[in-house]
Amino acid sequence: MCKTATINKIIPMSLVDGPGNRTAIFFQGCNFNCSYCHNPETIKKCINCGECVSHCPVGALKMIDGKVLWDENKCIDCDTCIKVCPHGSTPKTYEYTVDDLMEKIEENIPFIEGITTSGGECTLNFEFLEKLFIKVKSLGLTSLVDTNGFISLKSPMMEGLVKAADGFMLDIKSMNEEEHINLTGRPNKTVIENAVYLASIGKLQEIRTVLIEGNKNRETVENITKLLQPYPNITYKLISYRPFGVREEFLQLKSIEKKQKEELKEIAIMNGIKVIDC
Ligand code: SF4
Ligand code: SF4
């Protein structure tokens, strides 16, 4: 197992990353390339090319032994380094061990119910997460995973993570295979299988779909809610698309009309799924 994981951001207390107050940990690196990603710089890991270093206006970046080091205390968050990175990445990350992260999490006790790991795609670090969640549980806290569901959670290598996690929040970008590939660069077969599997073992905390004008939104909402009909208590977040942070070439994407969203909510409710309008 890799002893460290690359962390993009830690939000000590978040009310929007799962139920209750949680420490949210965002991992760097993703196996999707979603057109509407709000943090596209989290997709690829930095390759230490050094290109961004001279562009930092306050000297917060240094190249030491072939690696770019970021000084958070000097950084003024201008994001110039992200804008100039030819690789679409960011130097603003840290390598954390499980124990380093536990120290950060423990600072937030007793104000949090637990942690949520997100990204990027946090399940790429599945062994690291398993170890982290076991330690989190020993403190009486819960662990949730925010995932794109591309790695099969039924596979033997993921068994430990599924056991250690209290629940999963799963994005289902589209139930239409072709559309899913267009949106993310990857097929949706495993994502759908993971949704049903997690629901069947009582670990599907929440599903989400981002609603974009022109997408097959009705097909997605109808099919996923029918598939999950046998499993009550699942929450479905229907999220209106907002263009914050997206790459310039995708700024033209729009959310659907309020009336269309109401119709989609009704379909989900008719199929017995609780809806949260976001
Ligand atoms: S975001 Fe921080 S590290 Fe990046 S260029 Fe600006 S000051 Fe430098
Ligand atoms: S963040 Fe980008 S530009 Fe800076 S060192 Fe890493 S890959 Fe190179």
Side-chain angles (χ1 to χ4, degrees):
M1 169 192 144
C2 190
K3 285 197 167 61
T4 62
T6 312
I7 304 298
N8 178 279
K9 189 167 59 181
I10 299 173
I11 299 179
M13 281 172 250
S14 165
L15 289 167
V16 295
D17 292 290
N21 203 2
R22 319 188 68 79
T23 295
I25 303 161
F26 296 83
F27 288 68
Q28 180 76 16
C30 188
N31 44 6
F32 275 10
N33 185 13
C34 297
S35 49
Y36 52 77
C37 181
H38 293 297
N39 306 100
E41 74 280 5
T42 64
I43 296 173
K44 291 183 186 166
K45 285 201 178 174
C46 168
I47 56 165
N48 294 298
C49 71
E51 179 69 32
C52 56
V53 174
S54 62
H55 292 271
C56 177
V58 293
L61 298 172
K62 278 199 174 64
M63 194 78 179
I64 296 174
D65 296 334
K67 288 200 168 165
V68 172
L69 294 184
W70 171 54
D71 185 339
E72 190 176 10
N73 297 321
K74 281 190 184 166
C75 178
I76 54 167
D77 277 327
C78 67
D79 284 350
T80 304
C81 49
I82 293 170
K83 286 176 206 139
V84 299
C85 174
H87 192 58
S89 186
T90 173
K92 296 163 68 180
T93 61
Y94 283 121
E95 291 297 313
Y96 277 92
T97 63
V98 167
D99 288 340
D100 294 335
L101 272 182
M102 287 306 295
E103 265 179 44
K104 289 274 172 195
I105 294 162
E106 282 173 39
E107 284 170 14
N108 306 325
I109 298 172
F111 305 107
I112 53 168
E113 278 181 32
I115 67 162
T116 297
T117 57
S118 185
E121 176 51 40
C122 63
T123 63
L124 291 169
N125 305 273
F126 58 91
E127 288 170 306
F128 185 96
L129 291 188
E130 180 186 344
K131 210 171 156 199
L132 176 70
F133 292 175
I134 290 169
K135 292 203 172 195
V136 164
K137 193 164 273 177
S138 72
L139 297 177
L141 301 172
T142 57
S143 298
L144 298 178
V145 182
D146 181 346
T147 178
N148 64 26
F150 189 67
I151 302 177
S152 174
L153 294 168
K154 282 198 274 189
S155 70
M157 71 176 187
M158 302 301 273
E159 211 176 297
L161 169 63
V162 174
K163 197 168 165 223
D166 292 286
F168 289 76
M169 299 181 288
L170 185 69
D171 278 359
I172 299 175
K173 269 92 179 179
S174 176
M175 286 294 277
N176 180 282
E177 170 101 38
E178 196 187 336
E179 185 174 82
H180 195 275
I181 293 171
N182 283 339
L183 285 170
T184 69
R186 303 279 196 166
N188 61 4
K189 185 172 174 282
T190 312
V191 181
I192 298 163
E193 282 172 4
N194 276 335
V196 176
Y197 171 61
L198 289 171
S200 73
I201 60 167
K203 290 211 172 180
L204 185 60
Q205 175 86 26
E206 173 183 297
I207 48 170
R208 301 92 164 248
T209 298
V210 175
L211 303 167
I212 296 176
E213 188 185 74
N215 277 8
K216 299 179 193 308
N217 300 304
R218 193 183 176 96
E219 179 181 329
T220 293
V221 173
E222 243 170 24
N223 289 351
I224 192 65
T225 53
K226 267 188 200 153
L227 202 63
L228 295 176
Q229 225 170 9
Y231 309 102
N233 301 323
I234 289 165
T235 303
Y236 193 5
K237 261 190 190 165
L238 290 174
I239 305 170
S240 295
Y241 169 75
R242 293 172 187 92
F244 307 128
V246 298
R247 285 162 286 194
E248 217 175 311
E249 60 267 40
F250 301 113
L251 280 172
Q252 82 290 355
L253 295 174
K254 285 193 184 123
S255 185
I256 60 169
E257 299 288 332
K258 209 174 163 199
K259 189 169 167 279
Q260 288 171 297
K261 195 174 184 184
E262 287 305 317
E263 285 167 13
L264 296 178
K265 276 162 67 179
E266 274 170 33
I267 292 169
I269 292 164
M270 266 170 52
N271 286 332
I273 305 291
K274 282 181 287 181
V275 176
I276 296 182
D277 187 341
C278 297

